[in-house]
Amino acid sequence: MKFSCEQESLSHTLVSVSKAVSNKPSALPVLSGIQIIAKDGKIQCTGTDLDLTIRSHLKGNIQEEGEIVVSSKLINEIIKALPDGSVDFELKDNSLSISSNTSSFEILTLKKDDFPKVEFDEQEGVKVESKSLFEALSRVTPSASKDEARPVLTGIYLTSTDSGLRFVSTDSYRLAYCDVEGIDILPQDFSVLIPAKGLQELQATNSDELEVIFSENSAVFKTENTVIKIRLLEGEFPKYEQLIPSGYPNVCHISSAALSDAIKRVKLIIQGRDSVAVKMKFENNLVTLTANALDIGEAQETLEVDYDGAEIEIAFNPDYLIEGISVVRNETVIISTIDPLKPATLRSQEDNNFLYLLMPVRT
């Protein structure tokens, strides 16, 4: 095996596929590596943890075809450290020679035969513009759980609608859904549950167009130079529609920027403690935000709002509240409440396709 390629292109490709490499101590050693295949004028790089696989390729000057598996961490660090320009590679027994200008490295390879044989569905998929799909994902992925003990909640639920596709996520403390019209990648009345981690890596491709293929247990997304294969999650997603109340008697219109800044100020008194909430008291076209840490002190701020409803005080996790305001993506956020124990919703007046539901904190 002997080839050369440009440092910048290779570094970008290696960083991309490394996102799929396993970092679990219990995983097979070969899963910490990147498979590199030099063939047909292309350098193909693949990383996988068996649940997520990312394969990408770049152009190269191939003098001798071949295949190797090398440590993802080491090869990334070496290539990043090299200057711009051409990098030469040559396999000698079980050692890979890497040279560029005055720098040279000899690194041991991993057993290539142990690397998983990842099969990619070659059938033709559905091509979609990715802008609206990526926008929807960026609004719902923050609400997906990161707790691997509840794998179903670490996914994004995709289901078909009459006009397109709905994306839903929840970590049991908050829930978000976003409807996108005109995306027809799922059969009618069909749904899938895709790990949020894989979909976040899909967004990182910044591709203008995607080709999407669903099989019984995986989703494949193809761009011009990259293929991402994600194993679908098993299990039943919560009946999220039942969590959304049918009506809200208390409705507040408030500047998103003003509210977000006020929350950030009063939460300074919390000093990063997860167990302390921010209270919001709505009354007479005012909202008063209060945070109290017993051994530190108290912070309070009052904002003018457009409020229609009864006087109510309700407490929220401040970080979840700030995140909810940010994904509404409007100058004005509408906060609707029922009582201090029932979930509130955040939305905008202009966008009926998005909803962020937030559970209150008992105080």
Side-chain angles (χ1 to χ4, degrees):
M1 181 181 188
K2 189 175 182 181
F3 67 92
S4 61
C5 59
E6 291 299 309
Q7 181 271 345
E8 184 178 4
S9 297
L10 179 60
S11 180
H12 177 79
T13 300
L14 291 174
V15 169
S16 174
V17 302
S18 292
K19 301 294 180 63
V21 169
S22 177
N23 54 16
K24 296 180 180 179
S26 59
L28 295 171
V30 75
L31 295 181
S32 67
I34 291 175
Q35 179 194 62
I36 301 176
I37 298 176
K39 188 178 180 181
D40 299 331
K42 293 181 180 180
I43 313 301
Q44 177 182 282
C45 302
T46 304
T48 184
D49 63 3
L50 300 181
D51 291 323
L52 171 65
T53 301
I54 302 178
R55 174 171 291 171
S56 189
H57 66 264
L58 67 152
K59 294 180 180 178
N61 179 18
I62 300 173
Q63 296 171 269
E64 184 179 334
E65 295 182 348
E67 173 187 344
I68 55 169
V69 178
V70 291
S71 163
S72 170
K73 185 174 186 296
L74 182 57
I75 191 72
N76 267 285
E77 290 178 347
I78 290 173
I79 301 304
K80 281 182 183 178
L82 293 177
D84 292 343
S86 180
V87 184
D88 298 319
F89 297 83
E90 185 174 3
L91 181 64
K92 303 173 182 177
D93 296 324
N94 292 324
S95 178
L96 179 66
S97 170
I98 306 172
S99 59
S100 174
N101 293 329
T102 58
S103 301
S104 63
F105 297 83
E106 297 281 342
I107 64 173
L108 294 177
T109 61
L110 302 174
K111 292 182 178 179
K112 66 178 183 179
D113 292 339
D114 291 344
F115 197 81
K117 305 296 187 227
V118 181
E119 298 292 336
F120 287 91
D121 199 324
E122 296 301 326
Q123 73 182 64
E124 186 174 350
V126 179
K127 292 184 178 180
V128 296
E129 291 186 3
S130 55
K131 182 179 179 181
S132 57
L133 189 147
F134 287 172
E135 171 71 9
L137 286 174
S138 69
R139 300 177 80 180
V140 301
T141 49
S143 299
S145 177
K146 297 175 179 60
D147 184 3
E148 296 295 336
R150 303 182 69 185
V152 168
L153 299 187
T154 65
I156 307 297
Y157 180 71
L158 275 65
T159 185
S160 61
T161 64
D162 292 339
S163 58
L165 194 64
R166 170 169 287 189
F167 300 76
V168 191
S169 66
T170 182
D171 60 4
S172 76
Y173 302 105
R174 64 261 178 84
L175 177 149
Y177 76 70
C178 187
D179 292 335
V180 182
E181 297 180 358
I183 295 185
D184 187 18
I185 59 176
L186 286 176
Q188 193 66 31
D189 300 322
F190 192 78
S191 61
V192 292
L193 188 55
I194 308 178
K197 175 189 173 183
L199 291 174
Q200 286 173 319
E201 300 310 330
L202 175 65
Q203 294 175 72
T205 63
N206 292 319
S207 176
D208 294 331
E209 186 179 67
L210 295 172
E211 184 177 349
V212 186
I213 305 169
F214 287 106
S215 64
E216 184 178 350
N217 57 10
S218 67
V220 175
F221 301 89
K222 297 181 179 180
T223 70
E224 184 178 359
N225 296 316
T226 302
V227 183
I228 297 178
K229 183 175 184 178
I230 310 171
R231 187 196 298 270
L232 300 179
L233 291 169
E234 297 181 356
E236 186 174 355
F237 195 73
K239 304 292 186 184
Y240 69 93
E241 299 97 333
Q242 301 173 4
L243 303 175
I244 304 173
S246 57
Y248 286 88
N250 310 308
V251 181
C252 174
H253 293 71
I254 184 170
S255 163
S256 296
L259 179 58
S260 183
D261 290 343
I263 298 168
K264 291 174 184 176
R265 284 190 289 269
V266 298
K267 77 187 284 282
L268 292 173
I269 205 73
I270 297 173
Q271 296 290 294
R273 301 178 188 186
D274 295 335
S275 59
V276 181
V278 168
K279 294 180 181 178
M280 301 180 72
K281 185 176 183 180
F282 298 92
E283 59 176 343
N284 301 326
N285 286 331
L286 295 174
V287 60
T288 301
L289 289 84
T290 306
N292 191 316
L294 291 178
D295 56 340
I296 299 176
E298 180 179 293
Q300 181 174 292
E301 185 159 345
T302 300
L303 300 173
E304 292 185 358
V305 299
D306 180 1
Y307 181 64
D308 181 16
E311 179 180 320
I312 182 176
E313 185 175 72
I314 187 169
F316 297 109
N317 176 307
D319 295 325
Y320 291 170
L321 188 55
I322 291 170
E323 203 155 46
I325 296 167
S326 69
V327 293
V328 166
R329 297 189 182 160
N330 194 274
E331 292 183 0
T332 300
V333 60
I334 302 174
I335 302 177
S336 302
T337 60
I338 298 176
D339 62 46
L341 299 179
K342 290 187 174 62
T345 63
L346 280 69
R347 58 186 178 87
S348 78
Q349 187 76 50
E350 294 81 9
D351 186 3
N352 292 323
N353 290 327
F354 178 79
L355 183 76
Y356 184 90
L357 183 143
L358 181 60
M359 294 296 298
V361 176
R362 294 175 181 266
T363 59

